[in-house]
Amino acid sequence: EKIEDVSGVNKVYKIKNFPGRIDYSGSTVDVVVYGIEQGYLESTPAQKLSGEYFSSESESTDAIINKEYLDTLGLDEKIVGKSINLSVIQSSPDTQIEEGDLVVDIVGIVEDDSSPVIYLQVDAISKYTPPNYSQATVVINKEFSLGEVRKQIESLGLETFSVMDTINQVQELFTYLRYGLLIFGIMA
């Protein structure tokens, strides 16, 4: 709520992530489970390969998986429409939360170049996870600069990360490489 009140913020998507284990067709794989809000995947660079995103009509047991999960198990896009067993692995034994063994229906596949991931609606898994969110994705209005919105969010005592950070680091690396090549060129 505090982030949503920051000027320049258009939308905040709250996210929970936690470890899980999926059983399907005799294969078991450890995955990262993300509890996300409707609209989150559409606002990220993840491309939809098959099926659909969550909508207001989506059932609480609907799930979206990424391509890396398919590749890990040697599956193809025919898994859309099938059910899999998901076990939520309790990461903090001190909290009083329910055991998480669910049967979820695969409704979509996304390409997002990460480790095996399954996306569920955050409301569907809230009783199996601690109440805190692990991160938030912030979409800002075009009229505002990323830097000024970031400063306001960081003034709330929160850490921020942007894709622009990675781009700037790569550009900085190439600048150092150019200087190194220039020095070798002068010496030659």
Side-chain angles (χ1 to χ4, degrees):
E1 291 172 351
K2 288 180 181 179
I3 296 172
E4 287 174 340
D5 291 339
V6 169
S7 60
V9 171
N10 185 21
K11 178 73 177 158
V12 178
Y13 294 103
K14 299 174 287 278
I15 302 166
K16 289 184 176 186
N17 64 344
F18 49 91
R21 185 168 292 126
I22 292 182
D23 295 314
Y24 179 75
S25 228
S27 296
T28 301
V29 67
D30 291 333
V31 295
V32 176
V33 182
Y34 281 93
I36 60 172
E37 295 181 306
Q38 178 186 337
Y40 168 76
L41 287 171
E42 293 93 315
S43 68
T44 66
Q47 293 181 324
K48 180 172 62 169
L49 296 177
S50 181
E52 56 192 49
Y53 290 126
F54 297 131
S55 68
S56 56
E57 292 83 37
S58 293
E59 299 289 324
S60 64
T61 59
D62 287 349
I64 298 172
I65 59 175
N66 70 344
K67 188 167 182 330
E68 184 65 29
Y69 174 76
L70 291 180
D71 295 342
T72 300
L73 291 181
L75 299 172
D76 57 28
E77 296 179 12
K78 293 178 186 167
I79 195 170
V80 173
K82 303 233 170 74
S83 298
I84 59 174
N85 297 318
L86 169 68
S87 299
V88 176
I89 298 171
Q90 302 298 333
S91 54
S92 68
D94 304 338
T95 56
Q96 296 293 327
I97 48 182
E98 292 184 31
E99 287 295 319
D101 288 322
L102 308 162
V103 175
V104 295
D105 304 314
I106 305 298
V107 296
I109 301 169
V110 294
E111 171 97 53
D112 64 0
D113 297 330
S114 64
S115 58
V117 172
I118 182 166
Y119 298 97
L120 298 173
Q121 297 178 80
V122 73
D123 296 336
I125 47 87
S126 59
K127 66 181 176 181
Y128 306 111
T129 61
N132 300 348
Y133 294 101
S134 52
Q135 62 190 41
T137 296
V138 178
V139 179
I140 65 171
N141 293 322
K142 292 180 183 177
E143 306 87 50
F144 289 83
S145 80
L146 175 63
E148 65 184 68
V149 173
R150 241 181 134 159
K151 284 180 189 173
Q152 292 179 56
I153 292 172
E154 288 172 349
S155 72
L156 298 172
L158 301 170
E159 289 182 41
T160 62
F161 172 79
S162 169
V163 175
M164 292 304 295
D165 295 340
T166 306
I167 292 170
N168 291 338
Q169 289 172 349
V170 170
Q171 287 177 341
E172 190 175 304
L173 174 68
F174 281 121
T175 301
Y176 290 133
L177 287 174
R178 277 190 224 117
Y179 286 136
L181 290 174
L182 179 65
I183 290 171
F184 284 126
I186 290 171
M187 289 172 30

